[in-house]
Amino acid sequence: APCMACPKGTYKPDSGTRICTSCGEGMGSTMEGGVDSSACRKFCVAGTASSDGFEPCDACLEGTFQAEAGQLLCKSCSNGTTTEFNRTNSSDLCVPVILEATAPPLVGPGVFWAGWLAVLVSLVASRGFV
């Protein structure tokens, strides 16, 4: 029978055997036909990504996440949501964006700044309470 290259994620150090050895959990390879364990590399863990899915990896930045290991890109949270931290590994950790209000201008004692009312109405409307 003809020789066959070991598939990605495996290697075969001995030419006299047909058995390919797995790289192991959390590891893989980018090419077929690995001949020793140096062909194996660690996958990026959830919450990170890289150009080939293997270490070295970049953390997913705020507003993005990656739930699976070995991925090329981080996914964006849905509109109106973000993550609170880098390296987020679940879409469940995407939370509503909270708009930070700026302080009202000084208008003097007893004078109400109408701009606060507009900010409050806008915020309540964006949450679907109006």
Side-chain angles (χ1 to χ4, degrees):
C3 291
M4 306 259 315
C6 288
K8 290 180 182 179
T10 66
Y11 63 96
K12 182 171 61 167
D14 302 316
S15 60
T17 180
R18 291 179 174 223
I19 298 170
C20 296
T21 303
S22 172
C23 285
E25 188 166 341
M27 299 186 74
S29 60
T30 56
M31 298 185 316
E32 297 176 345
V35 295
D36 59 36
S37 62
S38 68
C40 300
R41 295 172 54 199
K42 288 185 178 183
F43 284 118
C44 291
V45 297
T48 67
S50 74
S51 62
D52 62 3
F54 293 96
E55 292 184 347
C57 310
D58 296 314
C60 295
L61 301 177
E62 281 188 38
T64 68
F65 67 94
Q66 182 46 260
E68 298 175 42
Q71 299 301 302
L72 308 182
L73 299 169
C74 297
K75 299 177 180 178
S76 294
C77 291
S78 59
N79 283 346
T81 65
T82 189
T83 57
E84 295 179 294
F85 308 100
N86 292 343
R87 206 175 172 98
T88 301
N89 62 7
S90 172
S91 62
D92 293 341
L93 297 173
C94 293
V95 296
V97 173
I98 300 198
L99 303 174
E100 293 186 25
T102 57
L106 297 175
V107 291
V111 178
F112 178 75
W113 182 57
W116 273 110
L117 182 59
V119 169
L120 181 61
V121 168
S122 173
L123 185 60
V124 169
S126 72
R127 303 279 189 225
F129 294 113
V130 176

